[in-house]
Amino acid sequence: MADIYVHYVLNTVATFEVEPPSAERWLQRFEDLGARGLPFLVVVAADEVAGYSYAAPWRPKPSNRHVAEDAVYLSPKYVGRGLGTKLLEALVKASAGCGLRQMIAVIADTGDDASPPCIAASASSTWAD
């Protein structure tokens, strides 16, 4: 997962970061999300991590306790195969099961082929009642 993220940090503006986080920082992120009961999903294809998604707290204010930001990252090898849409749909479902009611997607439209489907998938995702 860290290798996938490194690709986006070094080659795109999608992460809004300039340096890849360390392995320790990844472990902290994973443990923090788990302690909060938030979903962290991984998709595996051909015995390798093809992508992952997670819900993270939006802003640390009491009124935002039911709001999360989604993150969806795919290995460049698996972009354009519909995995991102499936990850987002599964994340929305899992997030609703955790008591979240709104999800915010911060999308950097990089102009590549993956941007329009990603924006469309985010716009069409809905919460189950």
Side-chain angles (χ1 to χ4, degrees), residues 7-124:
H7 165 78
Y8 288 98
V9 171
L10 297 179
N11 299 296
T12 75
V13 297
T15 67
F16 302 100
E17 294 196 54
V18 293
E19 292 198 23
S22 66
E24 293 81 20
R25 178 66 188 109
W26 265 104
L27 182 58
Q28 288 173 346
R29 181 179 297 172
F30 183 76
E31 289 174 346
D32 178 58
L33 296 175
R36 294 171 184 264
L38 296 172
F40 196 119
L41 310 175
V42 177
V43 63
V44 176
D47 295 325
E48 64 182 340
V49 174
Y52 61 91
S53 65
Y54 60 87
W58 173 239
R59 291 194 175 150
K61 297 179 182 177
S63 61
N64 291 327
R65 68 188 173 280
H66 299 296
V67 181
E69 178 180 359
D70 69 65
V72 179
Y73 292 97
L74 295 175
S75 165
K77 181 177 174 180
Y78 291 97
V79 169
R81 299 181 186 193
L83 292 177
T85 300
K86 289 180 181 178
L87 271 171
L88 181 60
E89 289 170 351
L91 183 65
V92 168
K93 185 175 181 177
S95 295
C98 295
L100 296 172
R101 295 292 168 244
Q102 277 191 317
M103 185 163 289
I104 296 172
V106 179
I107 302 170
D109 184 355
T110 59
D112 65 17
D113 292 341
S115 293
C118 179
I119 292 168
S122 293
S124 68

